Structures are given as C-alpha cells and as structure tokens.
Amino acid sequence: MGRVAFPPEEYGGTADNEYLDCEFVEPALRILLIAEHDVEFRLIERLLNSMEGPSHHLHWCQADVTALAAMRGADYELILWGKISDSRISQALLAELKRQQITVPVIAIVDHVPANADRDAIRQGNADIVLRPALSPDTLQKAIAFACARSAPSILHLETLHADPLTGLSNRQQFRAQLARMLADARVPESVGLLLVDVDQFKKVNASYGQGAGDALIQLIAARIRDALLSPRCMARVGGNEFAIVLRNAQGDVENDCRRSIDDILQAMLKPFAVAQHAIRMSFSIGVALNKERTITADALLANADTAMRIAKADNGNHFQFYTRDMTDAQQKLLKLEAEIRRSIRNEEFELYYQPRIDIKTQQIVGAEGLLRWNHPTRGLLSPAQFIAVAEDCGLIVPLGYWVIHQACKDLNRLSELGQPEVQLAVNVSFKQFQDRNFVQTVANILGNQGITEGRLEFELTETTMMSEGQAVDQSLRRLSELGIDISLDDFGTGYSSFAHIQRLPISVLKIDRSFVGSVTSNEDDAVIVRAIINLAHSLNMEVIAEGAETAEQIAFLYQNNCDQVQGYYFSKPVNFRGLTTLLNVDTAQGDAPASRRILN
Ligand code: C2E
Ligand code: MG
Ligand code: MG
C-alpha cells in the first residue's frame, strides 16, 4: 500500500556520477616535437608510424613561445628536440624546462655532435641524442625506449596516455600513472601531497548558460589554478569539474606546501569568471591527502583526497580538508547508505505514512502529514532520522522529494475516490529541493498530471529552509502558492526566523514545535510562549497547528488557547495509507469517532 513505481528520469532522478571511471583506452605515447619546420614533423611522423611497439600521438610545435605553452600545458611523455637554429631559443626552452622542473625525457635530434645548448640538455640528466644522419625507425625507437626507460621504467607500458582535450591537462588515467610514479619515487612519508579541487555547483553553469559556457569556465579555472601555483606542478583534470594537483617536497614537509598552494588557489578564484557575457563567481572545495605511509597506492591517495573533498564540500564552498583516517569509516558508511537509498528509490522501498491532523473545535480529521518511511529489506522499517540527512547531503532528497510529492498527490486522488475530497495532505520539503532549478515547474507538472486542485496539498518547510536560500526560496514559495499549494512553517520556535520576514511570505499555517507542546502543562514559560505564538499567528492570519500532542491535558490547554489543529500520538501515530483510511472511515462513518471523542473529555 502507498507505494508506486517511481519514474526517476522524469523527476531528475538520474543523478550522474561525477567521477569518471577509467576505461581502457588504446595505449599511446604522447610526444611533443619542437622544431622549426613541418618538414621535420612529417619526417618524424613517418618514422614513428613505421616503428613497431606502442602507438604515438605526435604534436608538433614551433620553436617559439608556443613551445613554452605546450611544454607547460599538456603532460607529454617525451619531448623531441628538432632543428632549432637560434640557440637563444633553445636555451630559453631548456631554462624553462629546468625552471618548471619538467622531468619529461628529451631527445635531441642533431646534425652533429651537440653544441653547448644540447650538451646542457644532456647534463639535465634526462636527455638523449640521435644524430640526424643515423635517423631511422630503428634508431629512433631505441632512443625513445632508452630515454623513457631512464626517466620511468614503465612508461612505454602505460595503459593510457591521453590528455584532456579541453584543458590540455592530463586526464585521470594519465594522472594515476604519474601519481603512481611519484609515489614510487617518494623517499620519505609526507613528501607527496595530492590536492583535489572540485568546482561547486558546476552543473548549474551548464544548465543556466549551456555546455559551451561550462567548457569555457573549466578552461579558465584550469588556467587560474596553473597560474596560481608558484612553480608548475603535476596537474590534471580528473573529473568533469575536478582538478588534481600533486605537490612534492623531498624533505617530507609537503603539508605546508599544500596549505600555501590552497591559499593561492582559493585567492585566485575569488575574482568572477567572464563566461557567456556574465561575470560569475564560483566556489571550490578542496580535499588533500598526503602519503603518510610510504606504501600508499595512487588509487588509495586519490580516494583519501576525494573523501576529504566531500567533507569540505559539506561546508558550503571555499573550504578545504586534510584527510584523516577516521574520515574513511564515517564516509564509507555514508557512501553505503547513499548507494542503498539510490537503489531503494528504484526498488520502491519507500512508503509514505500519514499522521492525522485534527480540527480541535470540530474534532474531525481535516488533514494529515505525510512522513517518509523506508521498508529496508534487512533493517526493517526505518524512520527519516536514519536517512533524510544523508539523502540531503548527497542530493538524493531531490528525486526522493519528488517521489513524496507524487505519492501524496496520488493518495489525495485515492482519498477523493473514497469520498474524502476535503482532506488535505501535507508533505515535508527540504531546503535542498529548492536548489533544484526545476523545482517549481516539476511540482506544477506533478499537480497537473494528477489533477490536484487548489488547497489540497500543503508543503511544510522549517524556519531554516525559509531563511536559508533567501530570495530564491521566497520567489519559489510565491510561485508554489500561486499553484494552489498551502505553505506551513514547521517546527516553529526552534529556529531563528524573523516575524518581519515570515509576514512577507505566503505562509498560511504555523506548526508549533513539539518541544513546546510537550511541556505546556508542566512549564509555565513554555505555556506563555505557546499562547504568544498562537496569538501572534492569528494576528498574521495564520492557522496554528500544535505538533506532538500526547496528553489530554495538553489538548485541553491548546483548546482553551484557541489553537486550530492538533497532531500527535494522543490521537494517532503516523500510519500507512490504509491506516489513514481506517481512521477516516471511522471518523466519517460514525461521525463521532472514538479517537475524536478522546480529544476533549
Ligand atoms: P516533522 O515534520 O516535524 O514531523 C513530525 C515528527 O514528529 C514525525 O517524526 C512524527 O512521527 C513525530 N511525532 C508526531 N507526533 C508525535 C508525538 O506525539 N510524540 C512524539 N514523540 N513524536 C511525534 P518522523 O516521522 O520520525 O519524522 C521526523 C522528521 O523527518 C520530520 O519532522 C521531518 O522533518 C522529516 N521528514 C519526514 N518525512 C519527510 C519527507 O518526506 N521529506 C523531508 N524532507 N523530510 C521528512
Ligand atoms: Mg513536518
Ligand atoms: Mg515538525
């Protein structure tokens, strides 16, 4: 009872995974050729093509400033140094390589025994030379194998070596390989620091300004991060809106370097980004993980930084977190729960229970509050306290919330069919649901599809929700109210809403929190507060519902003080839909229901 198949796509339920899983891509070696003429490019290309072994991606770049950018931008596995007649340029390029600590092997192709510049290159310790007259597929292949083997033993066997086409940075796969090499090279603990920089709410940019704008923004962000770092580091784009940076400190004090770099990055991101003729501000969440143990793998370090990043994200932007071990246990539990919620939406394990609301004067059930329950296959019936916060954190509250609204609408129709067209149903709406820019429109669609008329559905929002998103919530509330949805203020008295603010919003019902109701007969202060709330609400033309009424004395107090409705265990605990119809049938069939009679003795 009370369950329907949930169409997640229709309501934005297909939450896409921000993490791109690595798939096997054709092995290829990324080579940058710096040379003056395209003749040389064609020659090398021909030689490479006739070589056996791993395939190659050859990028040619002229020996000028573009070469500097190319060396800096994409992570090449090998640099081929072609003919550069101006020795000042080759010296500048070499200086740049050194300055940037680029350790990519360089092979110089020279006409004769190297001149000074090339000798310098060899002195860097990461270069080889091939004499032009001896150039053949065979000699080139040997030189490449030799140079790569010297710089990283496994480089020719790396599975995937593609770069991210949008930014020219390494992609996740390439990055993993680089990180693995650095970890293998690390001599002391805490000498490698991994920063994961995640762009908050990036999807909003794509959604508001289009994919092209999103791409442009990613490029701008990549450039700013790169410029913010004092010296170039190993940097990659490891997810749609996520960058990874590795910092190294041979002495093992990389934590300080990480902190400095984070400061620099966040500082550089403060200025708005010019995208699609708009100046937009973005916030970032950064997770950091250090190689505390020398044996840690690249994947484990990435997972740790990701855990820390997710925790930083919970802090609402421009925060960073260093990974600590106890994060993992907590995170793993959360991730498991998140996966379970995702699964259970599809498996229809959720059910909407209802707790009746009674008109205190007429003693009739006039409505009910929908309260979510999870029929967990192994843990039994779970209450919202066990999963709502997680669903909010991971955004699953959005599809789940649509399921709730959809279900309440269906139940309203079932109530009408059962001869109860006057009963109103309320559902709880969390602040996260207002962050979905299609919220109002989707609600309108559900109402339209289900043919729900004005005044039958109510949304309960807490004070925190009403105050949290400012203007955006205000506007949505007005539009929801225009759709014929009543708005109530839940748990009133526990938050910090200002009456001035509430007054401007289309709120028609105020629900006094059960912490006050529970003590009206035992605590004079609470009695005073409840009386004041009722009077104030009435003066603002709002109805008042007391939540959590458990005793006849509380009900009597509320009756004497003109409270409009009560809801609580005294009358009924939340029940499933069938239970609600039973309560209603008793109520309507006998007119003077036993439950109602209990309200006022
Ligand atoms: P709430 O909206 O304030 O709901 C009232 C809670 O008080 C319910 O707990 C209800 O069972 C409980 N309650 C009602 N009368 C009494 C009483 O006389 N005594 C006592 N001790 N408790 C009483 P529940 O069902 O566990 O829900 C807890 C909270 O979870 C709700 O508080 C609401 O904030 C949230 N929640 C429930 N369903 C949904 C949902 O569909 N969406 C969202 N976003 N939140 C939901
Ligand atoms: Mg509520
Ligand atoms: Mg409440």
Side-chain angles (χ1 to χ4, degrees):
M1 287 297 285
R3 289 196 266 148
V4 288
F6 175 60
E9 288 76 20
E10 206 179 316
Y11 302 143
T14 44
D16 40 336
N17 221 337
E18 292 195 350
Y19 253 98
L20 308 173
D21 266 338
C22 307
E23 278 169 24
F24 183 81
V25 187
E26 173 206 352
L29 185 68
R30 283 180 56 82
I31 303 175
L32 174 68
L33 170 70
I34 303 174
E36 274 173 5
H37 301 295
D38 67 337
V39 183
E40 190 141 39
F41 170 63
R42 286 203 296 274
L43 168 73
I44 300 289
E45 197 178 33
R46 219 176 38 243
L47 290 172
L48 288 173
N49 284 342
S50 47
M51 267 170 42
E52 287 177 357
S55 58
H56 304 85
H57 287 292
L58 181 66
H59 296 255
W60 168 52
C61 164
Q62 286 194 319
D64 52 27
V65 278
T66 56
L68 290 179
M71 291 191 314
R72 196 166 35 208
D75 261 300
Y76 291 99
E77 306 292 333
L78 178 73
I79 297 176
L80 288 180
W81 203 268
K83 196 173 178 67
I84 305 174
S85 34
D86 188 340
S87 64
R88 283 171 311 178
I89 290 180
S90 50
Q91 265 160 19
L93 290 177
L94 283 171
E96 185 66 13
L97 275 177
K98 194 169 178 188
R99 196 179 72 76
Q100 298 196 20
Q101 298 166 339
I102 296 176
T103 53
V104 179
V106 179
I107 298 176
I109 299 163
V110 295
D111 289 329
H112 43 78
V113 178
N116 288 346
D118 298 322
R119 236 188 248 128
D120 282 349
I122 291 168
R123 279 202 209 105
Q124 306 273 322
N126 55 10
D128 198 353
I129 52 164
V130 179
L131 289 177
R132 199 176 300 274
L135 204 53
S136 72
D138 193 39
T139 51
L140 188 58
Q141 184 165 12
K142 280 190 185 135
I144 290 175
F146 180 63
C148 290
R150 269 204 311 183
S151 98
S154 61
I155 197 160
L156 288 182
H157 306 293
L158 293 177
E159 287 176 352
T160 54
L161 296 166
H162 292 279
D164 166 43
L166 192 61
T167 56
L169 295 170
S170 302
N171 68 7
R172 189 175 177 84
Q173 291 156 295
Q174 197 176 14
F175 178 74
R176 275 169 75 197
Q178 290 161 343
L179 183 59
R181 281 206 299 276
M182 289 185 227
L183 289 171
D185 287 347
R187 297 275 166 264
V188 289
E190 307 203 6
S191 54
V192 177
L194 170 63
L195 268 54
L196 268 192
V197 181
D198 193 273
V199 188
D200 297 332
Q201 311 211 342
F202 176 69
K203 280 186 193 146
K204 271 193 184 167
V205 177
N206 271 343
S208 318
Y209 305 115
Q211 179 109 26
D215 285 356
L217 178 64
I218 287 294
Q219 285 172 328
L220 291 174
I221 292 171
R224 275 204 207 168
I225 296 179
R226 209 159 43 208
D227 293 345
L229 298 168
L230 274 181
S231 51
R233 309 292 184 181
C234 173
M235 177 176 165
R237 180 168 171 234
V238 291
N241 57 338
E242 195 165 82
F243 297 92
I245 297 135
V246 185
L247 305 180
R248 285 194 285 182
N249 184 324
Q251 279 76 45
D253 185 23
V254 79
E255 179 174 338
N256 278 332
D257 302 308
C258 290
R259 287 185 190 279
R260 264 195 304 275
S261 296
I262 290 167
D263 263 3
D264 293 342
I265 292 171
L266 290 179
Q267 195 64 36
M269 300 299 173
L270 288 179
K271 275 191 308 182
F273 294 87
V275 168
Q277 279 143 16
H278 292 273
I280 52 178
R281 284 182 200 279
M282 302 300 295
S283 71
F284 299 80
S285 304
I286 305 181
V288 196
L290 311 181
N291 63 334
K292 298 251 180 203
E293 312 96 44
R294 273 209 48 224
T295 51
I296 192 161
T297 64
D299 282 342
L301 199 67
L302 271 161
N304 291 351
D306 182 61
T307 300
M309 185 275 287
R310 281 166 195 268
I311 290 169
K313 212 174 217 7
D315 272 341
N316 260 343
N318 287 343
H319 274 80
F320 66 90
Q321 273 289 341
F322 275 77
Y323 170 80
T324 59
R325 203 169 300 174
D326 54 352
M327 284 179 183
T328 301
D329 298 345
Q331 187 74 5
Q332 264 162 5
K333 279 205 194 106
L334 286 183
L335 286 177
K336 192 164 159 248
L337 191 58
E338 183 183 325
E340 279 193 318
I341 296 174
R342 206 179 286 275
R343 174 187 52 74
S344 56
I345 294 179
R346 297 191 186 278
N347 288 355
E348 302 165 34
E349 288 169 15
F350 286 101
E351 189 170 354
L352 205 51
Y353 271 46
Y354 290 100
Q355 187 176 36
R357 291 173 173 180
I358 323 300
D359 182 310
I360 206 165
K361 300 246 156 49
T362 65
Q363 305 183 35
Q364 302 286 315
I365 295 177
V366 286
E369 175 179 4
L371 294 156
L372 200 52
R373 297 291 180 267
W374 180 359
N375 292 302
H376 194 280
T378 55
R379 294 165 64 199
L381 195 67
L382 302 186
S383 74
Q386 291 162 281
F387 59 87
I388 288 284
V390 176
E392 281 178 346
D393 266 4
C394 66
L396 283 174
I397 193 69
V398 173
L400 200 52
Y402 287 137
W403 181 86
V404 168
I405 296 166
H406 190 235
Q407 183 61 43
C409 289
K410 295 183 91 160
D411 289 341
L412 278 170
N413 284 330
R414 292 204 287 173
L415 287 172
S416 298
E417 285 161 18
L418 292 167
Q420 299 287 340
E422 305 293 325
V423 173
Q424 190 182 42
L425 294 182
V427 293
N428 292 281
V429 178
S430 118
F431 74 98
K432 278 268 171 147
Q433 293 175 258
F434 285 88
Q435 290 174 354
D436 175 17
R437 58 189 274 280
N438 296 323
F439 183 56
V440 177
Q441 188 52 52
T442 309
V443 171
N445 294 346
I446 298 175
L447 292 184
N449 289 341
Q450 296 293 320
I452 301 301
T453 50
E454 193 170 322
R456 292 210 66 199
L457 186 66
E458 183 181 300
F459 280 0
E460 293 193 4
L461 281 76
T462 62
E463 291 172 81
T464 324
T465 300
M466 299 239 187
M467 308 304 286
S468 67
E469 299 277 305
Q471 290 276 309
V473 170
D474 290 8
Q475 243 174 35
S476 301
L477 286 183
R478 288 200 181 90
R479 289 173 57 206
L480 290 168
S481 160
E482 282 159 21
L483 290 173
I485 295 174
D486 286 345
I487 309 292
S488 63
L489 188 45
D490 201 0
D491 302 347
F492 188 76
T494 58
Y496 299 96
S497 47
S498 79
F499 256 103
H501 187 78
I502 291 171
Q503 211 175 353
R504 286 200 300 271
L505 296 174
I507 300 168
S508 48
V509 179
L510 204 144
K511 298 188 76 180
I512 306 175
D513 189 68
R514 73 179 141 94
S515 56
F516 296 104
V517 177
S519 50
V520 276
T521 49
S522 56
N523 180 327
E524 184 49 31
D525 288 348
D526 285 350
V528 170
I529 290 172
V530 168
R531 247 184 245 121
I533 293 176
I534 295 173
N535 291 336
L536 203 51
H538 283 162
S539 71
L540 294 172
N541 283 330
M542 294 179 193
E543 274 202 289
V544 185
I545 301 179
E547 297 186 291
E550 292 183 350
T551 67
E553 293 72 38
Q554 288 161 8
I555 305 271
F557 174 92
L558 294 162
Y559 179 79
Q560 282 151 17
N561 287 285
N562 295 322
C563 183
D564 302 291
Q565 294 178 31
V566 284
Q567 178 186 339
Y569 289 179
Y570 182 77
F571 185 78
S572 171
K573 288 198 169 181
V575 290
N576 63 13
F577 184 76
R578 189 193 289 271
L580 177 68
T581 58
T582 308
L583 288 171
L584 279 164
N585 284 338
V586 170
D587 204 31
T588 47
Q590 300 179 5
D592 202 5
S596 305
R597 259 189 274 124
R598 285 175 47 203
I599 290 182
L600 293 169
N601 286 320

